[in-house]
Amino acid sequence: MQSLLKEVSRPATTGLGSERRRRRRRFSPLMLLGVLVPLVLALAGGALYLIPQLTGSHAAAPVNTDCTLIVPPHPLTARGLATPYQLVATDPARGPCHEANPDQAAFVQAAVIDPATGQIAIYNPLVVDQGQKPALAPVVPRLPAKGIVAIWFGFNGENLTLRGVGHSLAEGHCVNGIRGSLFGQFAYCNAPAFFAAANQAIRAGKLKPPPLGQARDGLPCPSVRDFSLVDQDQSDNVTTAYLVTKNGRIAQMTRHAIAVLQQAQPQVNGSDNRLLAIGLDGALGCKPWMAPDLADPGQMTTALPLNELQAAVWQRAPVALVPNGDPMVTVDGRPNLAKLNAYRAGVGQPQVRDQLFASTTLYCANLLAIAPLRLLVDAPLTKTRPSPDPAAANSLFTFLAQRFITTFEADGLNCTRRLHVPDPVQVQRTPQGVAIAATINGEVVKTPLDCNVNGTLVVGCNGTATLNGQTCSLMTDRRTQQIVVTCPANNRQ
């Protein structure tokens, strides 16, 4: 249930309402199946992944990555939170938008703070296709009498537009960019009021974000404002997960829903927050800050606002804050102070009066000084962890290395040009483009090539294993970084 997704970025482009385009992750569980025999081959440490050899296939039609989310009436109330948001194509001529499609899925995350006690709780509203009924009715949350509610949005496509019902956008104080220019994958409602109340509770001693702690590498655990974690568009997207049934209906991720919808699969939002809470924290022995889940009483959950509040209190200098060159805060590729501050307000970051105080060049310098070294130090811990995106990298380590390259080079913040230095990180890829090794400051790090087949460890992915009652041989093709499986019964690979 705790799969982890995060996209790899592409350069920003201009266009109506769009300031950035991103190379979307193409994760599919099916890529781990089907080497012409019915098997499931799980690779230890996420080191190597089966890539099916497909022939005679036809190119799929382009997926519409610009979608609109309809915000229900009274979005900051318990009833509004429990009313499903509806997903629809922004331009129907480009094709439909479906919440069950992982490349089009939108996600909603809400938090409520009780100013009297400083207590925070989380609730993840549901998203369904327009006109579709949810697989299970959403849980109606119990909110404190004078609680302050805020909502954040994430999107696995390119550009998410918010559309109101009646006065729902104004009533919710919703923001998804500035006039004529969307953020892209991100939006929020009433977030500044929530962060103001939370910061006041922190000052009063009512709310105490837990310390980040110390990681297994002896360094402080990273936060969402740590230069060892951030990418070209930090603090975007949410940690919300939904359940998707076989017929494409959606439900909240709760214990009850998991028990009832036993064949449903999780759907998650690729985010820095999820990368931290599920990926890095697990690898480094750190613990994310969690709060009660109002949709699943008795359970705790992670959330974007918790990450931002914890980082604001505990992240040591230098602190990574959204820079003016971040593609999601530019307009026609140029820095825009109004859009920068609008975005920062949504994630509880300080406003700036001058672009100099949000310098992308300084951001790049800190990124260069901190991220590659931590990548190298943490390699023994991350190279045995599964990749957030098997289509991009074969381990958490190579995924992070590829993510740094995308951020540091011309397709991201263009730090190579700003700093006049070469990229200190390079990756080795398979012919299919999967990163399998990385060189950091001249030191080569590879991920291990051990496989786990039906619970049996096959060292080096070379040997035999029993598959469907047959003794099959496994051999690693190191040139293509694929596993060749041969079963004598049918002599097929």
Side-chain angles (χ1 to χ4, degrees):
M1 293 297 178
Q2 292 183 331
S3 61
L4 165 69
L5 306 176
K6 176 67 181 170
E7 59 283 305
V8 179
S9 301
R10 74 164 55 141
T13 61
T14 59
L16 180 62
S18 172
E19 302 308 329
R20 66 195 192 98
R21 308 288 290 181
R22 304 177 67 179
R23 187 180 302 119
R24 302 305 311 158
R25 52 151 185 77
R26 300 183 306 280
F27 174 78
S28 171
L30 296 179
M31 75 175 296
L32 302 182
L33 305 176
V35 282
L36 301 182
V37 291
L39 61 90
V40 176
L41 182 59
L43 298 169
L48 199 62
Y49 290 85
L50 290 175
I51 302 177
Q53 299 293 319
L54 301 177
T55 58
S57 61
H58 299 281
V63 172
N64 183 1
T65 55
D66 292 348
C67 302
T68 290
L69 201 56
I70 300 174
V71 179
H74 316 301
L76 303 181
T77 66
R79 179 56 60 184
L81 291 172
T83 301
Y85 287 68
Q86 298 182 68
L87 189 71
V88 63
T90 304
D91 178 4
R94 296 185 56 198
C97 288
H98 295 298
E99 182 64 18
N101 186 332
D103 292 325
Q104 297 177 314
F107 300 81
V108 188
Q109 185 158 73
V112 57
I113 183 168
D114 184 346
T117 64
Q119 296 299 306
I120 293 176
I122 307 301
Y123 181 85
N124 294 326
L126 192 61
V127 177
V128 299
D129 289 359
Q130 187 177 32
Q132 182 189 63
K133 292 184 178 181
L136 290 175
V139 175
V140 179
R142 297 182 61 182
L143 304 179
K146 296 184 179 180
I148 297 174
V149 175
I151 304 169
W152 294 264
F153 303 88
F155 185 46
N156 286 350
E158 302 287 354
N159 293 290
L160 183 67
T161 300
L162 299 184
R163 182 198 301 173
V165 174
H167 302 288
S168 63
L169 293 184
E171 185 177 332
H173 307 288
C174 299
V175 178
N176 65 346
I178 60 175
R179 183 179 296 273
S181 182
L182 297 173
F183 291 135
Q185 296 179 325
F186 183 73
Y188 61 85
C189 299
N190 207 43
F194 172 89
F195 283 116
N199 289 327
Q200 184 176 353
I202 290 172
R203 290 190 295 269
K206 297 178 181 179
L207 177 62
K208 297 180 180 179
L212 294 169
Q214 181 173 307
R216 291 193 180 110
D217 59 12
L219 298 172
C221 290
S223 79
V224 288
R225 301 183 188 181
D226 191 319
F227 279 101
S228 70
L229 171 76
V230 296
D231 64 358
Q232 69 165 7
D233 42 14
Q234 70 171 81
S235 300
D236 63 332
N237 293 293
V238 295
T239 63
T240 301
Y242 298 133
L243 288 173
V244 182
T245 66
K246 287 185 176 181
N247 62 358
R249 294 173 68 185
I250 317 297
Q252 290 173 307
M253 178 76 81
T254 66
R255 289 171 299 172
H256 173 69
I258 292 170
V260 173
L261 307 172
Q262 295 185 9
Q263 301 300 315
Q265 297 297 313
Q267 185 100 285
V268 299
N269 185 207
S271 68
D272 297 338
N273 297 280
R274 193 169 187 84
L275 176 62
L276 173 68
I278 306 300
L280 269 179
D281 277 353
L284 301 181
C286 301
K287 294 182 179 180
W289 183 18
M290 306 176 81
D293 185 348
L294 296 179
D296 198 1
Q299 296 298 296
M300 306 289 281
T301 189
T302 60
L304 177 150
L306 300 178
N307 291 340
E308 293 294 340
L309 288 170
Q310 185 181 36
V313 172
W314 294 108
Q315 177 58 50
R316 299 179 183 177
V319 179
L321 301 172
V322 176
N324 59 14
D326 183 331
M328 64 188 171
V329 300
T330 61
V331 176
D332 293 330
R334 297 184 178 88
N336 183 283
L337 194 60
K339 194 175 182 185
L340 170 67
N341 281 329
Y343 190 92
R344 283 191 171 199
V347 291
Q349 294 185 8
Q351 305 285 281
V352 292
R353 295 180 306 225
D354 191 287
Q355 297 283 5
L356 291 175
F357 297 101
S359 167
T360 304
T361 299
L362 179 58
Y363 193 95
C364 285
N366 285 321
L367 193 67
L368 176 64
I370 294 171
L373 180 58
R374 183 106 192 227
L375 272 174
L376 193 57
V377 168
D378 290 343
L381 301 171
T382 57
K383 70 182 183 179
T384 58
R385 291 282 176 153
S387 171
D389 183 356
N394 71 342
S395 71
L396 178 58
F397 167 71
T398 49
F399 174 81
L400 292 170
Q402 176 58 56
R403 183 171 176 265
F404 177 88
I405 290 172
T406 304
T407 297
F408 200 77
E409 296 186 0
D411 285 357
L413 297 178
N414 205 3
C415 297
T416 51
R417 182 185 63 80
R418 294 177 188 274
L419 301 178
H420 306 288
V421 297
D423 192 335
V425 179
Q426 295 84 39
V427 296
Q428 177 187 347
R429 300 181 182 87
T430 66
Q432 292 77 21
V434 180
I436 57 173
T439 301
I440 301 174
N441 292 326
E443 184 168 341
V444 179
V445 180
K446 296 183 178 180
T447 49
L449 298 178
D450 293 341
C451 304
N452 189 310
V453 185
N454 293 338
T456 301
L457 181 66
V458 181
V459 178
C461 293
N462 291 288
T464 61
T466 301
L467 301 170
N468 295 332
Q470 305 176 61
T471 299
C472 303
S473 65
L474 279 71
M475 182 182 69
T476 299
D477 184 336
R478 294 184 180 275
R479 181 183 63 82
T480 63
Q481 289 296 309
Q482 296 181 26
I483 303 168
V484 179
V485 180
T486 304
C487 295
N490 53 19
N491 196 31
R492 298 170 69 183
Q493 296 184 350

mmCIF file of all heavy atoms in Angstrom, residues 249-264:
data_model
loop_
_atom_site.group_PDB
_atom_site.id
_atom_site.type_symbol
_atom_site.label_atom_id
_atom_site.label_comp_id
_atom_site.label_asym_id
_atom_site.label_seq_id
_atom_site.Cartn_x
_atom_site.Cartn_y
_atom_site.Cartn_z
ATOM 1 N N ARG A 249 -13.869 2.800 -10.075
ATOM 2 C CA ARG A 249 -14.475 3.660 -9.052
ATOM 3 C C ARG A 249 -13.485 3.882 -7.922
ATOM 4 O O ARG A 249 -12.596 3.063 -7.666
ATOM 5 C CB ARG A 249 -15.772 3.035 -8.557
ATOM 6 C CG ARG A 249 -16.839 2.985 -9.663
ATOM 7 C CD ARG A 249 -18.058 2.208 -9.233
ATOM 8 N NE ARG A 249 -18.810 2.888 -8.188
ATOM 9 C CZ ARG A 249 -19.863 2.354 -7.576
ATOM 10 N NH1 ARG A 249 -20.275 1.145 -7.897
ATOM 11 N NH2 ARG A 249 -20.502 3.030 -6.639
ATOM 12 N N ILE A 250 -13.649 4.994 -7.213
ATOM 13 C CA ILE A 250 -12.644 5.467 -6.266
ATOM 14 C C ILE A 250 -13.206 5.477 -4.849
ATOM 15 O O ILE A 250 -14.383 5.750 -4.633
ATOM 16 C CB ILE A 250 -12.170 6.900 -6.637
ATOM 17 C CG1 ILE A 250 -11.952 7.035 -8.147
ATOM 18 C CG2 ILE A 250 -10.910 7.265 -5.871
ATOM 19 C CD1 ILE A 250 -10.872 6.137 -8.713
ATOM 20 N N ALA A 251 -12.318 5.189 -3.882
ATOM 21 C CA ALA A 251 -12.694 5.238 -2.469
ATOM 22 C C ALA A 251 -11.540 5.827 -1.671
ATOM 23 O O ALA A 251 -10.384 5.806 -2.104
ATOM 24 C CB ALA A 251 -13.028 3.839 -1.948
ATOM 25 N N GLN A 252 -11.879 6.355 -0.502
ATOM 26 C CA GLN A 252 -10.847 6.813 0.420
ATOM 27 C C GLN A 252 -10.023 5.617 0.904
ATOM 28 O O GLN A 252 -10.523 4.501 0.998
ATOM 29 C CB GLN A 252 -11.474 7.534 1.612
ATOM 30 C CG GLN A 252 -12.081 8.885 1.268
ATOM 31 C CD GLN A 252 -12.839 9.475 2.444
ATOM 32 O OE1 GLN A 252 -13.700 8.821 3.015
ATOM 33 N NE2 GLN A 252 -12.519 10.717 2.800
ATOM 34 N N MET A 253 -8.768 5.859 1.204
ATOM 35 C CA MET A 253 -7.894 4.801 1.702
ATOM 36 C C MET A 253 -8.081 4.688 3.214
ATOM 37 O O MET A 253 -7.467 5.416 3.996
ATOM 38 C CB MET A 253 -6.432 5.124 1.373
ATOM 39 C CG MET A 253 -5.448 4.091 1.889
ATOM 40 S SD MET A 253 -5.400 2.588 0.920
ATOM 41 C CE MET A 253 -4.334 3.108 -0.418
ATOM 42 N N THR A 254 -8.965 3.799 3.626
ATOM 43 C CA THR A 254 -9.234 3.548 5.040
ATOM 44 C C THR A 254 -9.197 2.052 5.305
ATOM 45 O O THR A 254 -9.277 1.236 4.371
ATOM 46 C CB THR A 254 -10.609 4.096 5.453
ATOM 47 O OG1 THR A 254 -11.623 3.346 4.753
ATOM 48 C CG2 THR A 254 -10.759 5.583 5.118
ATOM 49 N N ARG A 255 -9.095 1.667 6.573
ATOM 50 C CA ARG A 255 -9.098 0.247 6.911
ATOM 51 C C ARG A 255 -10.396 -0.417 6.466
ATOM 52 O O ARG A 255 -10.387 -1.548 5.966
ATOM 53 C CB ARG A 255 -8.905 0.073 8.418
ATOM 54 C CG ARG A 255 -7.516 0.409 8.927
ATOM 55 C CD ARG A 255 -7.495 0.424 10.431
ATOM 56 N NE ARG A 255 -8.404 1.444 10.966
ATOM 57 C CZ ARG A 255 -8.705 1.577 12.256
ATOM 58 N NH1 ARG A 255 -8.183 0.731 13.151
ATOM 59 N NH2 ARG A 255 -9.517 2.536 12.663
ATOM 60 N N HIS A 256 -11.509 0.276 6.647
ATOM 61 C CA HIS A 256 -12.804 -0.285 6.237
ATOM 62 C C HIS A 256 -12.842 -0.497 4.726
ATOM 63 O O HIS A 256 -13.273 -1.556 4.244
ATOM 64 C CB HIS A 256 -13.928 0.648 6.656
ATOM 65 C CG HIS A 256 -15.276 0.241 6.141
ATOM 66 N ND1 HIS A 256 -15.939 -0.888 6.581
ATOM 67 C CD2 HIS A 256 -16.074 0.819 5.191
ATOM 68 C CE1 HIS A 256 -17.091 -0.993 5.943
ATOM 69 N NE2 HIS A 256 -17.197 0.023 5.093
ATOM 70 N N ALA A 257 -12.388 0.498 3.963
ATOM 71 C CA ALA A 257 -12.417 0.390 2.504
ATOM 72 C C ALA A 257 -11.502 -0.733 2.024
ATOM 73 O O ALA A 257 -11.845 -1.483 1.096
ATOM 74 C CB ALA A 257 -12.006 1.715 1.870
ATOM 75 N N ILE A 258 -10.337 -0.875 2.636
ATOM 76 C CA ILE A 258 -9.410 -1.939 2.248
ATOM 77 C C ILE A 258 -10.037 -3.307 2.496
ATOM 78 O O ILE A 258 -9.889 -4.240 1.691
ATOM 79 C CB ILE A 258 -8.085 -1.792 3.017
ATOM 80 C CG1 ILE A 258 -7.345 -0.532 2.551
ATOM 81 C CG2 ILE A 258 -7.203 -3.022 2.830
ATOM 82 C CD1 ILE A 258 -6.156 -0.175 3.415
ATOM 83 N N ALA A 259 -10.762 -3.450 3.600
ATOM 84 C CA ALA A 259 -11.400 -4.731 3.929
ATOM 85 C C ALA A 259 -12.551 -5.045 2.978
ATOM 86 O O ALA A 259 -12.751 -6.200 2.588
ATOM 87 C CB ALA A 259 -11.891 -4.702 5.368
ATOM 88 N N VAL A 260 -13.312 -4.021 2.605
ATOM 89 C CA VAL A 260 -14.483 -4.231 1.756
ATOM 90 C C VAL A 260 -14.099 -4.379 0.289
ATOM 91 O O VAL A 260 -14.611 -5.249 -0.424
ATOM 92 C CB VAL A 260 -15.488 -3.075 1.938
ATOM 93 C CG1 VAL A 260 -16.630 -3.191 0.928
ATOM 94 C CG2 VAL A 260 -16.039 -3.062 3.356
ATOM 95 N N LEU A 261 -13.188 -3.522 -0.160
ATOM 96 C CA LEU A 261 -12.784 -3.507 -1.575
ATOM 97 C C LEU A 261 -11.460 -4.244 -1.721
ATOM 98 O O LEU A 261 -10.423 -3.658 -2.016
ATOM 99 C CB LEU A 261 -12.663 -2.061 -2.058
ATOM 100 C CG LEU A 261 -13.889 -1.171 -1.827
ATOM 101 C CD1 LEU A 261 -13.578 0.273 -2.171
ATOM 102 C CD2 LEU A 261 -15.078 -1.682 -2.643
ATOM 103 N N GLN A 262 -11.505 -5.553 -1.551
ATOM 104 C CA GLN A 262 -10.273 -6.322 -1.435
ATOM 105 C C GLN A 262 -9.459 -6.368 -2.719
ATOM 106 O O GLN A 262 -8.253 -6.599 -2.666
ATOM 107 C CB GLN A 262 -10.604 -7.739 -0.958
ATOM 108 C CG GLN A 262 -11.190 -7.773 0.444
ATOM 109 C CD GLN A 262 -11.394 -9.183 0.961
ATOM 110 O OE1 GLN A 262 -10.955 -10.152 0.347
ATOM 111 N NE2 GLN A 262 -12.063 -9.304 2.094
ATOM 112 N N GLN A 263 -10.070 -6.176 -3.854
ATOM 113 C CA GLN A 263 -9.337 -6.202 -5.118
ATOM 114 C C GLN A 263 -8.908 -4.816 -5.576
ATOM 115 O O GLN A 263 -8.257 -4.681 -6.611
ATOM 116 C CB GLN A 263 -10.203 -6.844 -6.215
ATOM 117 C CG GLN A 263 -10.647 -8.259 -5.902
ATOM 118 C CD GLN A 263 -9.472 -9.196 -5.700
ATOM 119 O OE1 GLN A 263 -8.519 -9.189 -6.466
ATOM 120 N NE2 GLN A 263 -9.535 -10.006 -4.648
ATOM 121 N N ALA A 264 -9.257 -3.790 -4.816
ATOM 122 C CA ALA A 264 -8.902 -2.422 -5.206
ATOM 123 C C ALA A 264 -7.407 -2.189 -5.044
ATOM 124 O O ALA A 264 -6.756 -2.787 -4.186
ATOM 125 C CB ALA A 264 -9.695 -1.417 -4.375
#
